[in-house]
Amino acid sequence: MLTVKTWIVQVLFLLLTSESIGELVNPCGYITPESPVVQLGSNFTAVCVLKEKCMKSYHVNASYIFWKTNHVTVPSEQYTVINSTASSVTFTNISLSNTQLTCNIRTFGQIDQNVYGIRIVSGLPPEKPKNLSCIVNEGEKMRCQWDPGRETFLDTNFTLKSEWATEKFDDCKTKRGTPTTCTLSYFPVYFVYLEVWVEAENALGNVTSDHINFDPVDKVKPNPPQNLSVSNSEELSTILKLTWLNSNILDFLILKYSIEYRTKDASAWSQIPPEDTASTRSSFTVQDLKPYTEYVFRIRCMKADGKGFWSDWSEEASGVTYEARPSKAPSFWYKIDKSHSHGTRSVQLIWKALPLAEANGRILDYEVTLTRWKSRLQNYTVNDTKLKVNLTSDRYIASLTARNTVGRSDTSVLTIPAYDFQATHPVTDLKAFPKDNVLWVEWTAPGKPVIKYIVEWCVLSDRAPCIPDWQQEDGAVRSTYLKGDLEESKCYLLTVTPVYADGPGSPASVKAYLKQAPPSRGPTVRTKKVGKNEAVLEWDQLPVDVQNGFIRNYTIFYRTIIGNETAVNVDSSHTEYTLSSLTSDTLYMVRMAAFTDEGGKDGPEFTFTTPKFAQGEIEAIVVPVCLAFLLITLLGVLFCFNKRDLIKKHIWPNVPDPSKSHIAQWSPHTPPRHNFNPKEQMYPDGNFTDVSVVEIEPNDKKPFPEDLKSLDLFKKEKISTEGHSSGIGGSSCMSSSRPSISSSDENESAQNTASTVQYSTVVHSGYRHQVPSVQVFSRSESTQPLLDSEERPEDLQLVDNVDGSDSVLPRQQYFKQNCNQLETSPDMSQFERSKQVSSVSEEDFVRLQQQQISDPIPQSCGSGQMKMFPEVSSADAFTGPVTEGQVENFEAVGIEAMVDEGMPKSYLPQTVRRGGYIPQ
Amino acid sequence: MDLRAGDSWGMLTCLCAVLWHLPAVPALNRTGDLGPGPSIQKTYDLTRYLEHQLRSLAGTYLNYLGPPFNEPDFNPPRLGAETLPRATVDLDVWRSLDDRLRLAQNYEAYSHLLCYVRGLDRQAATAELRRGLGHFCTSLQGLLGSIAGVMAALGYPLPQPLPGTEPTWAPGPAHSDFLQKMDDFWLLKELQTWLWRSAKDFNRLKKKMQPSAAAITLRLKAPGF
């Protein structure tokens, strides 16, 4: 029961599926042609035919058809509705493409439905095959090939057909990969004409090539001859015999041959004349070969009538010709050792090994014979190519032959002249030049008949000696090239020696390069002399090893750092050059290039600086200037000397004697003493550097002699009473060399110009409630050391000893006190202070000293002392007539003090301007 | 034995076919207007070529037959190969033959020989031997065509196969394997003799034709003088 059910279900399923598949597979219409192949460029028309059933179900007819190519709708202009069921589309000028063409209908509701589709394949019909040709490799089947013509873009079959008049042979179908060649399936029958042609066929048509009719034997390519062998002949050294095996084709064919040969080292083949090998053979003798030379041979063959093809070349075979006697005499030359002792000469005979082409075999040895005049022969057998013999001073004849297994060469004869022989007749116009990568040498023959020439050459170098190579040339030769391994850019020294019957002639030499090159390095330039506007450059000639050619010229490049480079060409013979028009005091960079014919090379750069002045220019300026200065100085000294009195008067004026003045006479305390120390005594201890000048007005001359007198007197008195004043020289407080003023003791200070001199006494009327006192105005330039006394007690002691009194100490104390005063009452007005100082009488002063003698000495005296100067000077300025010297001294001090205190002083211009006494 | 009988019948049909086809062929070696000379030369070369082929083929085939056939001094009496056309002929008879008869005899002989060789072809065991025999057959066929061409060029009619004189490769009822091999041996031997004879014939013909050709050339040139 179950199985029956299953069976029914299966049948139903099959029915249903087959029904539905039938519906699906059954198209609504079709296109003709079904699978078109269209020729490129032609027109193509396709027709779509709708089925009645479909038309009914979709309610469409042929006018509903539209076409698509590769999913693109074709314009409706190309459609043609043939009838209610069929519509066609036409394409013109089909191009190369694989086109999918579909027929569609547009049903109700704008639904597009595909009806049918085809694929259009386009291409070209085959072209007529051309150039059909066949070849029969011996023992193989015939192969033909042809030119298929243009590309068809379609599958094209080529068939090679062949037939006799009586029989057709099997066709030869090309393989897919090789459509232009085909090998027939049967062995060709020679001597029977065969007709062959090619048929090409594709979907668009077929075409047949021209028929060719030939005898296959005329297309034969024979196998190359086998087992080629070469044998020589002892009888003839110039022949070699070739033998080989021909192929079997020889049984019914006549062959011809082509034989080629070359020497082992050569690359180019020579051919034996074809007419000598135009018939079937299996051996051949090659003639006119060089003795003792290895030759290589090869051979090929083809049909004698020239129809067919040459075989491949046979394998190469080589053979050596037999030896022959040397064909030429060796080149022969000699060298004489210059030293000549004990009547013998050492002569080295040298010769060249024969080249293989001339040796014609292996040279066994050389035979040398030396003949002296009227003497027997000396024979030597040498394996080498040189022989050293000791000869007397006489003339010798040397002869040389080379020997191989077959025989001996001709004899080379050389005359070795006597010791005193003078060589003459050199060759002339000797020239050497490179051509075709060899070095040629040519010369003009001397007037005498020459047997041969010897050409020698060697490399000129500083590093190695000249080791000559040589070659021999025939007497008729006028030019030759050097047959040696010459190197480029080396300097060769070539020597040509003619050899005459009686001995060698004079050699002639020339230098040459096979190929020049730029020098390896440039010349090193340096300065020989550098002037202000010129520099002499010098350099060394380049060594021959770096020249690499003939130095034709030098070029000097020079420039400043910023300037353009200037080039100067210098002839190669120079080693020095003067650069002119240089700028002075400028850095120049100079380098030099040497040029051969092939180019130049720069040397290192050299830097030099031109001097600011030319040589001697400084001297020319300095010497006259110095001389002039000297002269002026001399004149000045002379002038000073002549006018010394005047100068003296100017510098050390006579101080007017106050005692002679009327005022001096009024003062009973001050005796009219005056002392004027000469200059020598002014600086007894040398510490006094400032000079106090008392200028005396020229019109005040009257008291002058008296002054002097009184001064002398005064001096004497002072010396007798007090000795030297300690107020002069030494260092003041703080070791200052400034003059200090002490108005304390006029007696002491009268020792020098700077000593305190009382020159006026001013009597004031009383100021306010004070009793007017007589003020004694004195000046002092004492620079009495004050603080030094603490530091240097010995000085103090000395002074004490000299003075014999204690006046120094109190003076110091006074100053100390003064210092203290200044410090304790800094706000005291200047006027008051000056008054205070000035109002101190001599007695008061002493009193003060006594009062304060026990007071401690303040340590900060320095500043006080410094401050004191303006006070004193200002007091002087305000109060009394001041000598010129004092004023000047004070002026200097005053300026300093003024700067210190920043206070303007009115006295200074006053005194300076006046330049004389201020009248009281 | 059946095979032998079949072979003989095959040969008969073969011969008929050859003779039927060939008369229709004017000349295998088309020589254009040059006369029969070149085709005679070609035919002569072809006989030489066939000799060359047969030399190597016979060696192979005799080896295939085995001893004593492949022994160099094996020279059996001619037995059972009576139907093979005989190449040997009395020298005077040969000299008395004219060109037409000479060519016709050659033609007839090779027609028969070809059929026998085709029989060998079918028996041959090795592929190489079959290939060699096949090529030889083709070449023999070419020779037949060549001879026909020469005869046509010389204006001789091809010999018609006469029903009475047709070759009777009468398959003997008691043909042993050895005798069969003997037949093959004699076939090869006879082929060789015929090729020698043909070479001679065509060489003679060639020589005979050359003067006449020269005479024609001279005659043609004469009016120029």
Side-chain angles (χ1 to χ4, degrees):
Chain A
M1 195 60 189
L2 187 71
T3 50
V4 171
K5 262 187 182 174
T6 314
W7 185 81
I8 290 167
V9 167
Q10 279 179 346
V11 167
L12 279 172
F13 177 76
L14 279 171
L15 280 172
L16 281 170
T17 45
S18 63
E19 181 73 17
S20 58
I21 288 167
E23 281 292 316
L24 285 172
V25 166
N26 196 15
C28 212
Y30 56 90
I31 296 174
T32 51
E34 183 84 26
S35 50
V37 179
V38 185
Q39 187 171 338
L40 285 173
S42 65
N43 298 341
F44 170 69
T45 301
V47 181
C48 185
V49 182
L50 296 178
K51 291 181 179 169
E52 289 286 342
K53 184 181 170 189
C54 205
M55 286 168 68
K56 278 179 187 166
S57 61
Y58 290 115
H59 305 288
V60 292
N61 57 35
S63 61
Y64 287 76
I65 291 174
F66 65 97
W67 297 83
K68 281 185 178 176
T69 51
N70 294 341
H71 309 293
V72 177
T73 306
V74 179
S76 57
E77 294 81 41
Q78 292 176 241
Y79 306 164
T80 308
V81 178
I82 299 166
N83 54 36
S84 63
T85 61
S87 170
S88 70
V89 65
T90 303
F91 300 94
T92 55
N93 196 8
I94 290 278
S95 62
L96 182 66
S97 64
N98 197 341
T99 311
Q100 189 185 358
L101 177 69
T102 53
C103 170
N104 308 274
I105 49 171
R106 185 154 295 162
T107 57
F108 185 74
Q110 300 294 310
I111 297 165
D112 292 350
Q113 188 160 358
N114 189 290
V115 175
Y116 205 81
I118 59 166
R119 188 165 288 279
I120 306 170
V121 176
S122 57
L124 289 168
E127 244 185 348
K128 182 175 170 181
K130 293 184 283 285
N131 301 331
L132 175 62
S133 65
C134 299
I135 184 170
V136 184
N137 288 313
E138 184 189 337
E140 295 176 17
K141 292 168 183 172
M142 190 163 74
R143 183 164 52 86
C144 296
Q145 60 183 24
W146 56 91
D147 177 5
R150 70 185 174 203
E151 171 68 51
T152 60
F153 310 105
L154 299 171
D155 282 342
T156 305
N157 296 319
F158 292 91
T159 309
L160 180 67
K161 293 180 177 273
S162 55
E163 65 176 29
W164 284 341
T166 57
E167 180 145 351
K168 280 192 187 302
F169 294 102
D170 294 339
D171 289 345
C172 180
K173 301 242 181 230
T174 55
K175 289 169 184 159
R176 188 164 281 274
T178 55
T180 63
T181 180
C182 199
T183 303
L184 292 166
S185 60
Y186 58 91
F187 283 91
V189 176
Y190 298 139
F191 307 109
V192 181
Y193 275 86
L194 185 70
E195 190 167 321
V196 174
W197 68 97
V198 184
E199 283 184 8
E201 183 180 21
N202 67 12
L204 291 174
N206 63 346
V207 66
T208 305
S209 73
D210 290 336
H211 291 225
I212 57 168
N213 200 352
F214 58 92
D215 182 351
V217 85
D218 292 338
K219 305 292 177 187
V220 164
K221 180 185 176 189
N223 290 328
Q226 300 291 311
N227 299 354
L228 180 66
S229 64
V230 185
S231 56
N232 62 12
S233 159
E234 282 194 27
E235 288 76 30
L236 278 170
S237 59
T238 59
I239 65 162
L240 284 172
K241 188 179 180 186
L242 307 179
T243 51
W244 63 88
L245 287 178
N246 283 302
S247 70
N248 291 330
I249 204 170
L250 201 70
D251 292 349
F252 53 93
L253 284 180
I254 301 169
L255 294 178
K256 67 176 181 180
Y257 301 88
S258 167
I259 300 173
E260 287 186 349
Y261 67 97
R262 59 176 169 88
T263 56
K264 195 188 178 188
D265 303 324
S267 58
W269 292 91
S270 309
Q271 194 183 11
I272 286 168
E275 56 269 23
D276 294 350
T277 55
S279 61
T280 301
R281 55 171 65 236
S282 59
S283 68
F284 188 81
T285 301
V286 186
Q287 301 172 5
D288 295 333
L289 300 177
K290 290 179 196 160
Y292 199 59
T293 308
E294 186 172 359
Y295 287 91
V296 181
F297 295 89
R298 62 180 186 180
I299 185 171
R300 62 179 178 171
C301 62
M302 77 177 293
K303 256 179 78 201
D305 58 5
K307 294 173 181 172
F309 301 90
W310 278 109
S311 72
D312 293 329
W313 286 106
S314 69
E315 287 184 1
E316 292 175 8
S318 62
V320 183
T321 48
Y322 202 70
E323 290 186 37
R325 81 176 188 90
S327 57
K328 276 181 81 176
S331 301
F332 196 20
W333 189 228
Y334 72 99
K335 286 177 189 168
I336 292 184
D337 191 356
K338 298 290 179 196
S339 61
H340 180 266
S341 58
H342 307 299
T344 59
R345 298 178 282 169
S346 176
V347 175
Q348 189 175 35
L349 300 170
I350 50 175
W351 56 91
K352 290 269 177 188
L354 284 169
L356 200 63
E358 290 166 2
N360 290 343
R362 197 171 64 83
I363 297 297
L364 300 174
D365 51 40
Y366 298 92
E367 287 180 1
V368 181
T369 307
L370 277 170
T371 315
R372 193 178 159 194
W373 177 247
K374 287 181 180 173
S375 127
R376 61 190 190 85
L377 303 174
Q378 288 173 276
N379 286 322
Y380 303 90
T381 302
V382 190
N383 284 322
D384 204 354
T385 56
K386 58 179 182 283
L387 173 66
K388 202 161 194 170
V389 287
N390 284 321
L391 304 180
T392 62
S393 301
D394 297 330
R395 180 168 175 262
Y396 281 83
I397 305 287
S399 54
L400 170 78
T401 57
R403 205 168 64 83
N404 67 9
T405 49
V406 176
R408 58 185 69 224
S409 71
D410 294 339
T411 307
S412 290
V413 180
L414 192 65
T415 301
I416 300 166
Y419 178 69
D420 52 358
F421 176 79
Q422 290 297 317
T424 53
H425 294 89
V427 297
T428 50
D429 301 334
L430 181 63
K431 278 183 285 199
F433 52 92
K435 197 173 105 182
D436 303 331
N437 288 326
V438 288
L439 197 54
W440 283 83
V441 55
E442 66 176 28
W443 60 87
T444 304
K448 212 170 156 186
V450 179
I451 295 171
K452 65 182 181 183
Y453 293 98
I454 299 293
V455 182
E456 291 171 291
W457 68 91
C458 70
V459 177
L460 279 183
S461 169
D462 295 334
R463 291 192 287 261
C466 174
I467 301 165
D469 198 353
W470 63 281
Q471 71 188 46
Q472 177 182 309
E473 295 298 335
D474 199 59
V477 167
R478 296 289 170 270
S479 70
T480 185
Y481 65 91
L482 302 187
K483 298 168 185 76
D485 290 330
L486 301 193
E487 290 178 70
E488 292 180 355
S489 53
K490 294 265 192 234
C491 185
Y492 284 94
L493 179 68
L494 283 72
T495 307
V496 176
T497 310
V499 179
Y500 304 108
D502 56 348
S506 302
S509 294
V510 68
K511 285 179 190 173
Y513 284 87
L514 176 63
K515 192 173 191 307
Q516 296 190 41
S520 306
R521 61 177 167 86
T524 307
V525 68
R526 57 187 181 276
T527 50
K528 188 180 181 186
K529 205 175 89 182
V530 180
K532 186 181 172 189
N533 295 114
E534 60 172 31
V536 180
L537 304 176
E538 63 170 3
W539 59 91
D540 298 324
Q541 294 280 11
L542 285 174
V544 70
D545 291 306
V546 301
Q547 283 185 7
N548 296 342
F550 295 114
I551 301 294
R552 300 300 186 195
N553 66 305
Y554 296 110
T555 303
I556 298 171
F557 302 95
Y558 64 97
R559 63 182 172 91
T560 59
I561 285 181
I562 48 162
N564 286 335
E565 197 167 65
T566 312
V568 184
N569 283 329
V570 184
D571 190 75
S572 62
S573 59
H574 295 177
T575 57
E576 202 174 287
Y577 184 77
T578 305
L579 295 178
S580 50
S581 327
L582 301 181
T583 317
S584 63
D585 194 23
T586 308
L587 183 73
Y588 277 93
M589 276 162 280
V590 62
R591 68 194 156 83
M592 199 164 166
F595 285 86
T596 66
D597 292 340
E598 293 297 317
K601 176 81 178 176
D602 283 352
E605 199 164 60
F606 183 82
T607 309
F608 67 89
T609 309
T610 49
K612 200 163 191 171
F613 302 101
Q615 199 177 14
E617 199 173 273
I618 295 173
E619 288 87 334
I621 294 168
V622 167
V623 168
V625 166
C626 289
L627 284 173
F629 182 74
L630 206 68
L631 203 69
I632 289 164
T633 313
L634 212 68
L635 285 170
V637 167
L638 274 173
F639 177 78
C640 291
F641 191 74
N642 284 338
K643 300 279 180 181
R644 65 182 183 278
D645 296 338
L646 195 68
I647 293 165
K648 192 173 165 187
K649 206 191 307 175
H650 216 72
I651 296 172
W652 298 284
N654 287 323
V655 177
D657 190 354
S659 62
K660 295 279 172 63
S661 71
H662 295 288
I663 298 172
Q665 285 172 346
W666 296 338
S667 171
H669 300 289
T670 53
R673 290 175 301 193
H674 220 287
N675 195 9
F676 186 82
N677 272 348
K679 196 177 180 182
E680 296 84 36
Q681 293 170 355
M682 265 180 74
Y683 314 110
D685 47 4
N687 285 335
F688 194 90
T689 53
D690 285 359
V691 177
S692 299
V693 179
V694 177
E695 194 170 2
I696 300 163
E697 258 187 16
N699 56 0
D700 192 14
K701 283 180 179 169
K702 197 175 68 181
F704 190 63
E706 293 150 349
D707 282 350
L708 283 171
K709 217 185 282 177
S710 65
L711 277 167
D712 280 342
L713 186 69
F714 180 63
K715 182 185 171 187
K716 281 173 192 163
E717 283 178 10
K718 283 312 277 190
I719 292 165
S720 63
T721 56
E722 295 176 4
H724 277 288
S725 165
S726 63
I728 298 171
S731 56
S732 63
C733 181
M734 292 296 287
S735 303
S736 169
S737 61
R738 278 180 199 139
S740 59
I741 294 169
S742 169
S743 60
S744 63
D745 194 351
E746 56 184 332
N747 294 334
E748 288 169 22
S749 59
Q751 286 176 356
N752 53 39
T753 56
S755 59
T756 307
V757 178
Q758 185 191 344
Y759 56 89
S760 64
T761 306
V762 180
V763 179
H764 287 273
S765 58
Y767 178 69
R768 291 186 182 178
H769 306 292
Q770 292 174 356
V771 180
S773 63
V774 176
Q775 286 187 328
V776 178
F777 289 79
S778 63
R779 68 184 174 90
S780 172
E781 284 200 26
S782 169
T783 55
Q784 196 174 22
L786 300 173
L787 292 176
D788 275 4
S789 61
E790 290 172 350
E791 295 162 13
R792 295 186 297 180
E794 64 271 14
D795 286 354
L796 196 64
Q797 203 174 359
L798 181 70
V799 171
D800 286 342
N801 291 342
V802 171
D803 280 354
S805 72
D806 55 354
S807 62
V808 174
L809 190 62
R811 201 181 301 141
Q812 285 174 336
Q813 282 171 341
Y814 164 71
F815 274 111
K816 301 291 186 304
Q817 189 187 29
N818 239 358
C819 291
N820 281 339
Q821 270 187 329
L822 288 165
E823 283 168 0
T824 49
S825 58
D827 52 348
M828 191 189 285
S829 74
Q830 191 182 353
F831 179 69
E832 282 171 342
R833 271 181 283 156
S834 67
K835 198 173 75 179
Q836 190 180 6
V837 172
S838 62
S839 63
V840 176
S841 66
E842 203 164 10
E843 292 87 349
D844 292 337
F845 186 42
V846 172
R847 261 199 315 273
L848 198 65
Q849 286 174 349
Q850 286 166 349
Q851 279 171 358
Q852 295 180 344
I853 197 159
S854 59
D855 288 349
I857 296 166
Q859 293 301 311
S860 60
C861 175
S863 58
Q865 177 86 4
M866 294 293 282
K867 283 186 176 178
M868 192 181 74
F869 295 133
E871 291 159 18
V872 173
S873 61
S874 63
D876 287 346
F878 280 115
T879 51
V882 184
T883 60
E884 190 100 6
Q886 280 177 311
V887 171
E888 277 187 15
N889 185 29
F890 291 150
E891 179 187 330
V893 173
I895 289 166
E896 221 175 335
M898 203 159 54
V899 171
D900 287 345
E901 292 191 4
M903 287 165 68
K905 307 291 182 187
S906 58
Y907 70 93
L908 186 61
Q910 203 178 4
T911 54
V912 170
R913 274 190 223 115
R914 288 283 187 88
Y917 288 110
I918 301 166
Q920 296 181 342
Chain B
M1 292 306 288
D2 287 346
L3 186 73
R4 289 288 168 192
D7 278 357
S8 304
W9 283 110
M11 279 179 206
L12 261 178
T13 47
C14 153
L15 184 63
C16 295
V18 168
L19 293 176
W20 181 255
H21 278 291
L22 281 176
V25 180
L28 205 57
N29 284 323
R30 290 148 198 199
T31 52
D33 298 322
L34 294 171
S39 55
I40 294 167
Q41 175 67 45
K42 283 276 175 208
T43 315
Y44 168 76
D45 289 337
L46 185 55
T47 55
R48 298 274 316 279
Y49 174 49
L50 278 162
E51 267 183 64
H52 163 76
Q53 278 190 47
L54 183 65
R55 209 174 301 140
S56 59
L57 178 70
T60 318
Y61 196 81
L62 291 178
N63 278 335
Y64 159 71
L65 294 179
F69 302 99
N70 60 350
E71 287 164 7
D73 52 351
F74 181 67
N75 194 11
R78 184 167 171 144
L79 296 170
E82 299 304 322
T83 51
L84 281 176
R86 279 180 180 274
T88 49
V89 66
D90 185 70
L91 192 63
D92 294 328
V93 175
W94 182 73
R95 279 181 182 156
S96 66
L97 292 173
D98 64 353
D99 294 338
R100 190 190 66 80
L101 214 57
R102 215 188 293 275
L103 286 167
Q105 283 188 3
N106 271 283
Y107 185 84
E108 284 173 351
Y110 287 113
S111 304
H112 285 90
L113 289 168
L114 175 61
C115 294
Y116 290 121
V117 174
R118 280 183 174 159
L120 289 179
D121 192 1
R122 255 167 274 161
Q123 293 170 26
T126 66
E128 188 203 348
L129 199 52
R130 267 204 301 278
R131 202 161 48 238
L133 283 168
H135 186 220
F136 188 73
C137 280
T138 316
S139 301
L140 267 184
Q141 207 174 343
L143 180 62
L144 266 177
S146 218
I147 294 167
V150 172
M151 290 178 80
L154 292 171
Y156 305 140
L158 282 178
Q160 291 300 319
L162 300 173
T165 57
E166 68 185 40
T168 50
W169 182 262
H175 250 60
S176 69
D177 186 50
F178 180 81
L179 288 177
Q180 183 61 50
K181 283 183 178 176
M182 190 71 94
D183 286 350
D184 293 349
F185 177 87
W186 276 106
L187 172 62
L188 293 175
K189 200 163 171 108
E190 207 60 55
L191 262 172
Q192 196 170 47
T193 322
W194 265 110
L195 286 170
W196 288 341
R197 178 178 163 174
S198 297
K200 241 175 153 56
D201 287 342
F202 285 101
N203 198 29
R204 188 187 174 91
L205 193 63
K206 188 173 75 179
K207 283 177 180 166
K208 210 169 153 183
M209 289 297 147
Q210 274 169 353
S212 70
I216 291 163
T217 317
L218 280 172
R219 228 179 13 255
L220 280 169
K221 283 187 177 174
F225 286 98

